Amino acid sequence: MTSSRLAIGLAMAAMTVPAQAQQGPDQVQARQIFAKLIEYRTSEGHGQVPAMVDYLEGVLRDGGVASDNIAKLPKGETVGMLVRVPGADLARKPVLFSAHMDVVDARPEDWKRDPYKLIEEEGYFYGRGTIDNKAGVVALMSTILRLQKAGVKPRRTLVFAFVGDEETGLDEADGTTRQIAAHPWVKGSEFAINTDAGGGIFGPDGKPIIYLVQGAEKTYATFELTATNPGGHSSRPRPDNAIYDLAKAVTRIGEYRFPVMSNDLTRAYLGAVGKVTPGPEGDALRRFAANPQDGAAADAIWGDAEFVGTTRTTCVATMLNAGHAENALPQKATATVNCRIFPGVSVDDVRQQLGKVVADPKIEVKTVGAPVASPVSELRPDIERAIAQSIRKRYPEVALSPYLESGGTDGLVYRSVGIPTWASSGVFIKPDEMFAHGLDERIPVKSFYDGVEHIHDVALTLAGN
Ligand SMILES: [Zn+2]
């Protein structure tokens, strides 16, 4: 894209910014990039990531970024991109910032508004990817462009990673995240800041309650349980049956609780959340944080879908497939069991434990794919300070805590290759407004701009400037 087209784009974006908002040129540009990014249907199968990368590259080149500081990492229909801002002190290890460009698909016919158009309504930006994770892509872009414009040379090298397949390619050996982690610009980075998780929570009254920094992720692993049987005609039932065998196995898994676990990070998190949670729920969280051996507290949390994942490995049956005809005895029955494994526990230990729980040698328990386990990144005081300083500019009183993610983000790939990673988006939302992957995904307008400022602040502080 030429600079004159960029200028026209900026002018148009400026016209759509509400008059009451005080927007500088950087905010106007951030919004313009955001609007453009939402229009690319960057979900798997639509092949739109390369076009979006071409657009981003055009904006960067117009902003003065040299082409030899931009690298592209193709993978099938998608592509990752790296942008390097060389530092003055080459002896110091680089710092990595990361966002992903792909989205979970949204079907326009299911949405109230067009998911591939940025729509501002009553204080929110709507559109697929507004929160997951195109706001993060904009934050990275804006930070690079502002550094370039201000002629700031960071003390240490900053590398900005734009992942092309986070939603679908995390466990693929040649996925763009793994390519990024192995790239010479990134390899040996001292640490990474991920924009795809971490953030603030507003209470129902809109006041900030807590700010959470993701410092670890559970391992996502899926297992398949298979019962087999010689089968036969259903008019001649035999005493053993693949469906009955599998049903018993699945029931045993449903009744089993993995042992309670904790580490410094999860105790800090549950204690901090307990402090701001009222009633018996808050009480259980505080007691567990003070003493993870408190069986009654652990039992109370067991029944709490929001927090059970922070206290142990969890496994749950998610799919069943059995039989081949209504008048035949089943020859095969399979169940899919999805687990979120506590950091420090190996995938194979969980597979073996499931086998023991099932306690039926006729049932085979198999790991699906090649799950990646990642270590905990304990929150370093200098990182915590840099994040807190930025957050408290906007929310002076808010408490900060690390947390263990139950989902899965690029952070687990970086951590698994030895790059400690903390996710901090700078974005505050109400938990019941979290529609990532779902219908009517949105982000509060103020939180979008706060997130952009946050990454810029943190990049400057951590670069040593
Ligand atoms: Zn995401």
Side-chain angles (χ1 to χ4, degrees):
M1 137 187 263
T2 65
S3 46
S4 61
R5 276 168 61 204
L6 178 67
I8 294 166
L10 286 173
M12 284 170 61
M15 285 190 291
T16 56
V17 171
Q20 72 273 18
Q22 291 185 343
Q23 307 286 349
D26 297 327
Q27 285 73 31
V28 171
Q29 184 179 36
R31 186 199 166 115
Q32 188 236 343
I33 296 171
F34 198 33
K36 187 83 186 164
L37 297 192
I38 299 300
E39 288 172 13
Y40 293 97
R41 189 170 185 169
T42 51
S43 49
E44 191 181 34
H46 291 270
Q48 285 281 295
V49 179
M52 186 168 125
V53 164
D54 286 346
Y55 161 73
L56 293 175
E57 194 183 7
V59 175
L60 291 166
R61 301 281 291 117
D62 286 341
V65 176
S67 60
D68 57 359
N69 284 323
I70 301 174
K72 293 193 196 172
L73 311 166
K75 155 82 209 294
E77 65 159 56
T78 190
V79 62
M81 178 172 73
L82 282 171
V83 181
R84 180 174 59 169
V85 181
D89 185 353
L90 293 174
R92 294 189 68 183
K93 293 175 172 177
V95 173
L96 179 68
F97 286 82
S98 188
H100 70 83
M101 303 181 287
D102 59 317
V103 294
V104 169
D105 198 36
R107 300 193 324 159
E109 56 273 33
D110 297 342
W111 280 49
K112 272 189 237 134
R113 308 166 187 82
D114 183 349
Y116 300 106
K117 192 170 172 350
L118 185 72
I119 294 171
E120 182 178 347
E121 240 178 73
E122 292 174 0
Y124 290 91
F125 284 129
Y126 287 86
R128 172 55 93 227
T130 43
I131 197 144
D132 186 15
N133 176 223
K134 285 178 173 171
V137 173
V138 176
L140 263 48
M141 285 290 292
S142 180
T143 301
I144 301 166
L145 292 166
R146 284 167 74 176
L147 290 173
Q148 186 74 36
K149 193 172 75 176
V152 173
K153 180 119 180 143
R155 288 245 184 98
R156 52 165 55 188
T157 298
L158 303 175
V159 180
F160 296 85
F162 298 81
V163 173
D165 52 356
E166 188 270 349
E167 299 289 2
T168 53
L170 273 186
D171 53 7
E172 287 171 41
D174 59 347
T176 62
T177 320
R178 298 220 203 168
Q179 287 192 50
I180 285 167
H183 192 276
W185 293 356
V186 172
K187 228 171 151 178
S189 289
E190 188 174 323
F191 57 85
I193 301 291
N194 186 5
T195 60
D196 191 29
I201 295 174
F202 284 136
D205 57 357
K207 292 215 176 88
I209 295 178
I210 192 167
Y211 188 81
L212 298 170
V213 178
Q214 184 220 63
E217 293 180 58
K218 294 182 92 177
T219 308
Y220 177 108
T222 300
F223 300 92
E224 205 169 73
L225 272 55
T226 306
T228 47
N229 189 282
H233 199 284
S234 62
S235 64
R236 301 159 55 86
R238 37 186 294 151
D240 56 345
N241 177 303
I243 290 179
Y244 299 158
D245 290 344
L246 185 76
K248 283 179 206 146
V250 169
T251 304
R252 288 191 194 112
I253 288 176
E255 286 164 354
Y256 179 70
R257 294 182 191 185
F258 280 84
V260 167
M261 293 186 75
S262 71
N263 55 38
D264 289 349
L265 185 148
T266 61
R267 284 190 297 273
Y269 166 68
L270 294 171
V273 175
K275 248 191 236 166
V276 293
T277 307
E281 190 184 29
D283 189 52
L285 296 174
R286 286 191 302 276
R287 279 190 293 131
F288 185 89
N291 174 22
Q293 315 303 327
D294 184 330
D299 282 350
I301 297 173
W302 169 257
D304 190 334
E306 181 71 27
F307 298 108
V308 62
T310 306
T311 60
R312 55 180 103 213
T313 294
T314 61
C315 289
V316 61
T318 53
M319 294 194 288
L320 284 175
N321 189 3
H324 56 283
E326 66 177 60
N327 57 359
L329 299 174
Q331 291 165 4
K332 194 172 166 186
T334 62
T336 301
V337 173
N338 183 251
C339 300
R340 308 300 169 111
I341 303 172
F342 205 85
V345 179
S346 81
V347 173
D348 205 55
D349 282 354
V350 172
R351 186 188 60 79
Q352 286 181 27
Q353 185 58 30
L354 289 175
K356 278 186 207 152
V357 171
V358 164
D360 181 347
K362 296 193 300 296
I363 307 255
E364 188 199 9
V365 183
K366 223 174 53 189
T367 307
V368 179
V372 188
S374 61
V376 174
S377 304
E378 294 291 354
L379 195 50
R380 268 174 32 181
D382 56 332
I383 311 285
E384 182 169 2
R385 255 195 319 276
I387 292 172
Q389 211 175 54
S390 164
I391 294 302
R392 292 195 181 125
K393 260 200 222 168
R394 287 167 282 276
Y395 300 102
E397 302 297 326
V398 76
L400 197 112
S401 170
Y403 80 102
L404 168 68
E405 177 89 43
S406 296
T409 70
D410 293 312
L412 69 89
V413 174
Y414 301 138
R415 290 188 193 101
S416 74
V417 299
I419 303 173
T421 302
W422 296 279
S424 179
S425 67
V427 170
F428 275 78
I429 57 162
K430 290 183 187 173
D432 59 353
E433 291 176 346
M434 182 59 182
F435 301 126
H437 297 192
L439 292 175
D440 302 314
E441 182 178 346
R442 62 185 179 171
I443 185 172
V445 170
K446 180 181 182 317
S447 295
F448 165 74
Y449 291 113
D450 285 354
V452 171
E453 280 308 303
H454 177 64
I455 295 302
H456 180 255
D457 287 349
V458 169
L460 277 185
T461 310
L462 295 176
N465 292 69

